Amino acid sequence: MLFRLINRTFILPSAGFAAGFISFGQAWQTGSESQGQGPRNESEQRVDILDRLAQTEEFKKLTENFVMMRQSELVPGKHRNNSISQGLLFGRNHIEIDPVIFQDHENRSMTAFYHLGEGLSSENGNIHKGVLALLLDEALCFCGFPTLPNKKGVTGRLNIKYQRDIPADSTLALRAHVVETKGRKCIIKGTLESVPEKSSSWKLGSGSPTVYAEAECILVEPRWYKYVTWLSFF
């Protein structure tokens, strides 16, 4: 009876956790090594949106001054389907481009571009606010990671003020910057904005953007993280 209790309470759960932990780590490493962390193929995206973005003045300036990244490059290929924004929410009528990210490490800021399709709208035809919360959480954390001692952390608190509804099939600019850093904690602020258009030129800066949401994120690095930084899958 005692052995059965110990077995159910400690041995089996511990063995299951260890097996899952090891298999996850192996898959993460294998995915990174065998598939690299390259961006998604253009065949998986709305190329017309990418082409229009590339023609805008702000996009050109960002490309000239900063390294352009795609969100998929941050997630090994084998784990993309397990990532919400790269798996469940990515694809036709959802997140229709591999989000384009420019990070300014010197000024602790970043700009990212998204296109949200009709499949992410609620019954009123506007983008679901839960999707916007996810985008803001991910982006603000990514902006703050480099300022933490071991470059990783978790969301301690996320406050969002929704200003206006976002219609489906919209291209958005997400802007974020670190406003305060103290030890294992940093504070990041950001906005979700429209991409201003002017007739058919679709040039950023040709009009005032509409601010759809403002957010503030408190990012915290767990105390224990410094003890596992040698593990390549963390």
Side-chain angles (χ1 to χ4, degrees):
M1 179 69 74
L2 179 60
F3 175 76
R4 184 179 300 175
L5 179 62
I6 295 174
N7 186 48
R8 290 180 177 177
T9 307
F10 298 104
I11 297 177
L12 288 178
S14 298
F17 174 79
F21 185 83
I22 292 171
S23 63
F24 173 82
Q26 289 177 339
W28 187 274
Q29 290 178 314
T30 302
S32 301
E33 294 168 2
S34 64
Q35 298 186 30
Q37 293 188 340
R40 288 180 176 272
N41 295 326
E42 287 193 349
S43 60
E44 302 177 81
Q45 307 178 62
R46 285 273 304 274
V47 179
D48 60 312
I49 298 297
L50 294 174
D51 289 342
R52 291 170 71 183
L53 273 174
Q55 295 171 12
T56 64
E57 293 301 319
E58 182 182 16
F59 197 93
K60 291 177 182 178
K61 291 179 180 178
L62 288 169
T63 304
E64 292 172 358
N65 293 287
F66 306 104
V67 176
M68 182 178 73
M69 298 182 63
R70 299 298 178 87
Q71 189 183 58
S72 62
E73 296 179 81
L74 306 176
V75 183
K78 287 189 175 181
H79 281 265
R80 286 178 185 168
N81 289 336
N82 298 325
S83 167
I84 294 178
S85 57
Q86 281 291 318
L88 181 64
L89 297 185
F90 183 86
R92 186 173 179 82
N93 293 326
H94 291 73
I95 299 178
E96 296 193 287
I97 64 171
D98 191 355
V100 185
I101 299 171
F102 296 93
Q103 195 158 25
D104 181 353
H105 292 287
E106 182 178 350
N107 294 307
R108 306 192 302 179
S109 64
M110 63 168 281
T111 301
F113 296 97
Y114 302 81
H115 187 84
L116 307 183
E118 296 178 355
L120 298 178
S121 64
S122 55
E123 66 279 359
N124 60 7
N126 297 315
I127 299 297
H128 198 288
K129 289 182 172 58
V131 174
L132 305 182
L134 170 69
L135 299 185
L136 286 162
D137 188 20
E138 282 189 338
L140 269 60
C141 285
F142 179 63
C143 181
F145 283 156
T147 69
L148 297 177
N150 292 289
K151 315 306 180 187
K152 289 291 187 295
V154 295
T155 302
R157 187 173 68 193
L158 178 66
N159 293 324
I160 303 175
K161 293 181 180 179
Y162 296 103
Q163 308 285 7
R164 294 176 176 81
D165 288 329
I166 301 177
D169 197 25
S170 291
T171 302
L172 305 176
L174 192 155
R175 309 182 195 283
H177 65 283
V178 176
V179 296
E180 182 181 338
T181 303
K182 186 176 181 180
R184 296 181 297 104
K185 183 178 79 173
C186 71
I187 300 175
I188 313 103
K189 291 187 176 182
T191 58
L192 269 175
E193 304 176 4
S194 65
V195 177
E197 299 187 38
K198 186 176 181 180
S199 67
S200 61
S201 63
W202 212 66
K203 289 184 178 180
L204 286 173
S206 59
S208 298
T210 299
V211 177
Y212 293 118
E214 298 177 343
E216 179 180 272
C217 175
I218 297 179
L219 182 64
V220 180
E221 180 182 299
R223 292 182 183 276
W224 53 263
Y225 185 76
K226 62 183 178 182
Y227 300 112
V228 296
T229 53
W230 56 276
L231 296 172
S232 61
F233 46 84
F234 274 99

